[in-house]
Every structure is written in C-alpha cells, then in structure tokens.
Amino acid sequence: MDINGKSVFVTRYFRPLAPPTKVLEGDNKFTPMERVARFVSLISFVSDSVVYPGLCDIWSTCDQFLQMLQGDEEEHAVLLCNYFLQMGKRSWVIKGSAIPEGSTVYVLSADDDGYKIWNPSTGEWYDKSDTFCPLKSVTALMNNDNIWANIQPSDAANMMDFDTTKTTCWKPFFNRAYPNPGLSSVQPNELTYIDTSPQTVLRLQDRIEKELRDSIMNWRPRHITRWNRYCTQVFRKILTSLEFNKSRVTENKTEAADILSSYNLCGFPLHMSYTDMKTVIEKVKSTGIHENESANIEFALAVYIHPYPNNILSLWIYMASLSRKR
C-alpha cells in the first residue's frame, strides 16, 4: 500500500535509479556497491507504526523516502535494490526473517563472485553461505521482473539456491500462462539530489561539540571537568579518516601511540546518522564515560560530520576519559 492508501503491486516499486555521483566519487577502500549501501543505511530508520500509527504496512516511493529522510526496512531495501539495478547488477529484495528484526526484507545481489546478502539498514553485506548472516530464512524474492516464492525444502538463507530459473526451487508469479503485463513503475524516472551546505555542516559540528561538552559538565556537578586539548585534536584527525577507512583502524598511529604511552585511555568512536540533538546526547550519555570520578581524570571530545547529498549526515563522535600514567 502506498502513502495514499492505494494498493500497488510490489513489482511496480522497482526501477533502475542512479545514486548520487558524489557517493561514487573519490578514492577509498570501499567498492561502489558498498558506498551506495552505506549511503542508504545513513537514512534514518523509523517504523511504519510510528509514522503511520494504526495503519497497515506503507511503502513510500524512493523520491518520497529521500524527501522525508526516514523509513523502515522496505524503503531502505527498495532504494538499495534500485541503485544496484542502475549499476548493472542483478538484484532482488528478499522477504524473510532475521535476527533480531524478525520479519523483514534484505537485498540480494549476484555477480561473478556469487551471491551477496545486504542488510540495507546497516549497509553490511554477507556471503550467501555465511552462517553469521542475520538473515535466517527466505520466503520470497522480488524485483521489477517478477515475484518468486521459495518452494525449496529448506528456507534457511545459507542453504538457499538463489537461481530463480530453477522451477523446482522457485515458483514465479508471472509465467508463460500468465506473463508479466508490463506494469508501469510508480518510481520517478530519476531522483533529485541537493548538495548539503558545507557551512551549515561546520556550524552544526561546532554546536554538537559545545552541547556535548556542556552536557558532560552538567552530568558531573560535584566534580571539575578538565579537557585535554591535545587529545581532542588527535581524536579529530582520527575521526576524519574513519569515514572511508574500511578497517576502521586509524591512520594517525604516531599521535595515537603518543597518547597511549602517556595516558590510560577509556573511550571509543561512536558513529550514527544525525537526526536530532537529543538522540546524540542520549547516546553519548549511555556510554557512561563521564561517570569516572578519579581525582586526576581528564576528558577529550571530538566531533566530525561527513555530509552527503540531501542533508544526509554521517556523524562521528570520539569521547574518552584519560588518566596520566605514573
């Protein structure tokens, strides 16, 4: 059902759509498909029961999804699948169940290396036979061509034969007796992307850092909160390198080694898609790093935002407590 309450046949939600060119530009360690999946995962996840309380499952089109900047697993999966189709990849949306989501949808892609299963809400992918893949069962596949129901003896994802041409494994909705009538897609011919203002991002970055500093000091009313400026500068360098660092290992090893040689450090980088200030503050508070009440404790806090088109923001926060080694 679409946002107007009208029933729409599911294959009409698929159409090859081009991702933002800026997502594919530059040289980093992520493949084009991984970059696109990361972009999609940065769009906020909000359940239909929150956006449309009391209604059944609602599917937004990709342009509506990018305009609202929020949606559930179906919106994420359809957008990612449509991006993959535009990139010339054979792709399907998987209907199944996963841990911890329960009933959900993932994305399946096929290339020379085999089949990959993508979690569109996190941007992570798994090999088809990976037993650690959170997708545990498969009931159907769908894309712009057809819907295929799984009729294999097992519905386990890691045991699945994803070759939809095998009639002993998959039962298609459209077939020779009832061919696809060529239903038109409800998706637009192309998506519009708007550049995110760098000045706005820098102002927001400074505001988040100030709000977090003030909050941390308010959470420690009986103690003096000392800030280590050198560590803050190092953390800021580390954060700028993490966005496109596949291993998440810092390239600023010399500075990091200097800190660890002089301080006992307790902290780590946090990553999230920016939605609102309240959520950011709550996530930082939940780390409990501010609760250290040692007399010689110092703190370091750094914030970095990497902007994507349409005001989609990748937010990195490094929060740590430090005590000098004796």
Side-chain angles (χ1 to χ4, degrees):
M1 184 179 292
D2 65 10
I3 63 172
N4 297 313
K6 296 180 179 179
S7 296
V8 178
F9 195 73
V10 69
T11 60
R12 299 182 64 198
Y13 277 94
F14 298 95
R15 163 180 275 169
L17 293 170
T21 55
K22 288 193 174 182
V23 172
L24 301 175
E25 290 175 349
D27 182 22
N28 62 59
K29 299 177 182 179
F30 291 95
T31 67
M33 293 181 74
E34 288 173 330
R35 298 187 201 187
V36 167
R38 179 171 178 77
F39 172 73
V40 173
S41 71
L42 287 170
I43 304 175
S44 298
F45 183 96
V46 180
S47 174
D48 282 346
S49 61
V50 176
V51 182
Y52 309 106
L55 299 178
C56 60
D57 199 17
I58 304 294
W59 287 38
S60 304
T61 58
C62 293
D63 57 325
Q64 293 166 345
F65 181 37
L66 286 172
Q67 184 177 9
M68 294 187 293
L69 289 183
Q70 61 181 26
D72 63 5
E73 61 268 22
E74 288 92 358
E75 280 79 19
H76 285 82
V78 168
L79 180 61
L80 183 60
C81 185
N82 287 339
Y83 281 162
F84 285 172
L85 290 172
Q86 176 65 27
M87 296 167 72
K89 306 296 182 180
R90 290 188 296 140
S91 305
W92 304 261
V93 165
I94 305 174
K95 179 66 176 175
S97 63
I99 297 174
E101 302 99 313
S103 179
T104 188
V105 289
Y106 275 47
V107 173
L108 176 72
S109 68
D111 54 29
D112 294 339
D113 297 328
Y115 292 97
K116 291 185 177 70
I117 297 173
W118 301 77
N119 184 334
S121 300
T122 65
E124 298 173 319
W125 65 268
Y126 305 85
D127 187 83
K128 170 249 179 191
S129 58
D130 191 345
T131 55
F132 291 99
C133 177
L135 184 72
K136 296 305 176 185
S137 67
V138 176
T139 56
L141 298 177
M142 60 193 83
N143 62 15
N144 50 331
D145 294 324
N146 214 331
I147 304 172
W148 295 266
N150 177 26
I151 56 173
Q152 297 173 58
S154 172
D155 63 357
N158 63 328
M159 302 287 290
M160 194 65 47
D161 185 338
F162 284 113
D163 187 350
T164 56
T165 63
K166 295 182 178 180
T167 55
T168 57
C169 298
W170 300 95
K171 185 175 180 62
F173 183 87
F174 297 119
N175 51 39
R176 291 182 180 177
Y178 184 64
N180 189 331
L183 299 172
S184 61
S185 175
V186 295
Q187 302 290 0
N189 292 326
E190 61 181 19
L191 297 173
T192 301
Y193 302 106
I194 302 171
D195 289 341
T196 301
S197 167
Q199 292 77 18
T200 301
V201 171
L202 287 175
R203 285 196 296 268
L204 178 60
Q205 186 173 290
D206 292 340
R207 181 182 160 221
I208 292 174
E209 191 164 313
K210 183 181 183 302
E211 291 272 354
L212 287 175
R213 286 178 182 272
D214 292 343
S215 296
I216 291 167
M217 289 188 287
N218 290 334
W219 299 334
R220 309 177 75 251
R222 296 183 293 111
H223 303 275
I224 296 174
T225 303
R226 299 180 182 87
W227 298 101
N228 189 307
R229 294 184 179 180
Y230 172 71
C231 291
T232 295
Q233 293 173 354
V234 173
F235 288 169
R236 193 171 287 120
K237 289 181 182 178
I238 291 173
L239 291 182
T240 57
S241 68
L242 291 182
E243 181 68 24
F244 298 115
N245 192 328
K246 199 169 186 177
S247 64
R248 300 293 187 236
V249 176
T250 178
E251 297 173 356
N252 304 89
K253 294 182 179 180
T254 303
E255 293 92 335
D258 288 343
I259 293 176
L260 293 175
S261 66
S262 303
Y263 293 93
N264 295 310
L265 185 148
C266 177
F268 45 84
L270 290 172
H271 179 251
M272 67 193 82
S273 173
Y274 178 78
T275 53
D276 60 88
M277 191 68 71
K278 181 182 178 182
T279 301
V280 174
I281 292 174
E282 288 176 349
K283 286 191 175 183
V284 171
K285 188 176 184 179
S286 68
T287 65
I289 293 175
H290 64 281
E291 296 176 358
N292 193 320
E293 299 180 355
S294 301
N296 63 340
I297 201 70
E298 296 179 52
F299 292 90
L301 172 71
V303 175
Y304 171 68
I305 297 177
H306 185 85
Y308 288 91
N310 289 38
N311 291 312
I312 296 172
L313 306 176
S314 177
L315 172 62
W316 290 90
I317 299 170
Y318 208 132
M319 169 72 180
S321 63
L322 308 102
S323 59
R324 190 172 290 276
K325 292 181 178 179
R326 295 179 181 179

